[in-house]
Amino acid sequence: MRSTICLRLLCLVSCWAVAWPLLASETPSVGQQREDVLFWSQAEHTARFPRMYEIFPADRVDHGAHVHALPHGAALTPQWQDGSSTLAGYMTTHHLAGVMVLQHGRIRLQRHAPGFDDSTRWTSFSVAKSVTSTLLGIALRRGDIHGMDDTLDTYIPQLRDSAYAKVTVEQLLTMTSGVRWNEDYADPHSDVAQMYRAACENGQAHVISYLAKLPRAYPAGTHWNYNTAETDLLGILVQRATKQSLAAYLSQAIWKPYGMASDAYWLKDECDGSDTGGSGLSATLADYARIGQFMLDGGKIGGQPVIAEAWMHGAMRKQQDVDSPGHGYGYLWWTDTDGSYAAIGIYGQMVYVDPARQLVIVQVGAWPQATSKELVAARRDFVDAVKRAVDGGPTR
């Protein structure tokens, strides 16, 4: 009897030993899980976008004791041209979690969806690109990065034998590397849906391994093509030049001295621990508004400029035409012909700055799709509705 039991136990242990590698291999990597965000359900987006820094490895962006105050101004009610739309309807229809409007540094509009409050940190997706670009502008002023004409292999030697070797910092900022790339969020086989899926190679970030293998499609500097991985690459460049994580550099350069009110978080690459410059920043609604106000203030803290003049000159001005009449692309900031500019992320994230009206408009949410013409049009209608209300009423 005892020998029979032992044989059975031995069989169970042996079977488990064989099955264990299979079970372990079926567990998706952190990179694979990050890619799967594009294919989460609506309920998962709504529930998890405020918790991204808890779900994935992240570095904290510490805030300081000083807080940049956002006093309240005159209440503002957006005015849609059709007269039938309302802010509540807009937020509900498009699954928005929060909106905020500042004018002259004062809060004129603030609305939260149920479950969202002042302490909620929401993922920004590609809004992070604009923040990474701004950090590069600061590194330029400080001399950590020498100039816009520096080539990437200067900072990332792993790219010396790739199509990226002689791409310049400015070409990376304007997404004109000319390297082949597909940013289709709905296609599971696109580059943007695959760039984190492979196993780590040589302890280097996913994007370095992925991008180093891609071929050139156009001469560098001649063709604009939206590319999230290249802004991860820009983030790596900033981190190597400054010898700090993006989270630490953001805390030291903007978050503490400008006076953000809460800690933020920045997601990390699983392979080398670097922060991913193209996405992954989570912050509160009010601190996103403070980012917009910092830009509206001319990138100054305490009245002193902290960003390189060359970056400021080009960042919020059209450097490249895009596939949308009247709109352009600066240094990872979207531009409009009226002088306004914006940091924009998929699923509805936005920090919009209108210098002529001294206006900052922020929204965070969980659109039912990453993007679409209809969703973008509705967001522009909201921006226009805010401007219409500002133009027709008091400014304070």
Side-chain angles (χ1 to χ4, degrees), residues 166-207:
K166 299 306 176 185
V167 170
T168 67
V169 171
E170 185 164 23
Q171 288 163 352
L172 207 61
L173 283 171
T174 55
M175 293 194 179
T176 57
S177 72
V179 179
R180 190 198 68 195
W181 180 263
N182 180 352
E183 185 91 4
D184 187 345
Y185 303 110
D187 179 1
H189 303 292
S190 69
D191 293 305
V192 75
Q194 290 293 322
M195 64 180 185
Y196 298 142
R197 289 196 182 278
C200 298
E201 296 181 21
N202 303 318
Q204 61 192 16
H206 274 299
V207 292

Side-chain angles (χ1 to χ4, degrees), residues 8 16 33 36 41 57 94 114-115 136 146 162 169 183 192 203 269 280 291 307 310 334 340 359 361 393:
R8 287 178 178 173
W16 177 251
Q33 291 178 61
D36 289 341
S41 68
H94 297 94
L136 183 138
H146 305 123
S162 77
V169 171
E183 185 91 4
V192 75
D269 184 273
I291 291 173
I307 305 176
W334 297 88
S340 58
L359 194 64
I361 306 173

Side-chain angles (χ1 to χ4, degrees), residues 25-42:
S25 67
E26 290 171 1
T27 302
S29 68
V30 172
Q32 290 167 341
Q33 291 178 61
R34 283 192 66 175
E35 293 286 15
D36 289 341
V37 171
L38 292 171
F39 307 101
W40 282 352
S41 68
Q42 181 66 59

Side-chain angles (χ1 to χ4, degrees), residues 181-376:
W181 180 263
N182 180 352
E183 185 91 4
D184 187 345
Y185 303 110
D187 179 1
H189 303 292
S190 69
D191 293 305
V192 75
Q194 290 293 322
M195 64 180 185
Y196 298 142
R197 289 196 182 278
C200 298
E201 296 181 21
N202 303 318
Q204 61 192 16
H206 274 299
V207 292
I208 293 179
S209 302
Y210 193 91
L211 293 178
K213 299 180 178 74
L214 296 184
R216 177 163 297 286
Y218 302 92
T222 65
H223 180 80
W224 180 82
N225 185 35
Y226 194 83
N227 185 329
T228 289
E230 289 186 351
T231 41
D232 280 1
L233 205 58
L234 193 76
I236 291 169
L237 189 157
V238 171
Q239 288 169 95
R240 292 193 179 183
T242 64
K243 298 178 175 58
Q244 296 185 65
S245 68
L246 291 179
Y249 197 55
L250 177 60
S251 173
Q252 183 261 331
I254 299 176
W255 226 249
K256 286 181 177 179
Y258 191 73
M260 304 307 183
S262 304
D263 291 345
Y265 288 87
W266 209 314
L267 300 191
K268 302 193 293 185
D269 184 273
E270 65 179 315
C271 298
D272 72 344
S274 62
D275 298 336
T276 53
S279 64
L281 178 65
S282 292
T284 65
L285 184 69
D287 282 343
Y288 284 129
R290 288 183 177 94
I291 291 173
Q293 190 64 43
F294 168 70
M295 297 304 298
L296 189 58
D297 292 343
K300 296 179 180 179
I301 297 177
Q304 298 300 312
V306 298
I307 305 176
E309 186 177 344
W311 186 93
M312 289 296 296
H313 181 75
M316 287 79 69
R317 293 175 175 84
K318 185 178 77 170
Q319 303 295 324
Q320 298 294 322
D321 289 316
V322 299
D323 56 356
S324 179
H327 304 282
Y329 206 62
Y331 292 160
L332 304 186
W333 287 82
W334 297 88
T335 66
D336 287 342
T337 53
D338 67 355
S340 58
Y341 52 92
I344 293 174
I346 56 174
Y347 296 107
Q349 325 319 317
M350 178 184 70
V351 177
Y352 181 93
V353 182
D354 180 356
R357 294 177 176 83
Q358 287 292 292
L359 194 64
V360 174
I361 306 173
V362 178
Q363 70 172 41
V364 296
W367 280 354
Q369 298 171 252
T371 189
S372 73
K373 290 182 179 178
E374 292 75 19
L375 290 166
V376 170

Side-chain angles (χ1 to χ4, degrees), residues 105-167:
R106 295 176 176 272
I107 299 172
R108 299 204 56 193
L109 173 64
Q110 182 176 6
R111 292 288 186 278
H112 296 163
F116 185 97
D117 60 32
D118 291 340
S119 65
T120 304
R121 298 177 182 92
W122 200 269
T123 187
S124 66
F125 289 103
S126 292
V127 168
K129 291 178 171 62
S130 303
V131 176
T132 298
S133 175
T134 305
L135 292 178
L136 183 138
I138 293 172
L140 273 169
R141 184 176 183 89
R142 294 181 175 184
D144 294 321
I145 295 171
H146 305 123
M148 296 285 202
D149 293 331
D150 285 356
T151 55
L152 299 191
D153 60 358
T154 304
Y155 301 92
I156 310 174
Q158 294 97 323
L159 298 174
R160 281 177 184 161
D161 295 324
S162 77
Y164 280 96
K166 299 306 176 185
V167 170

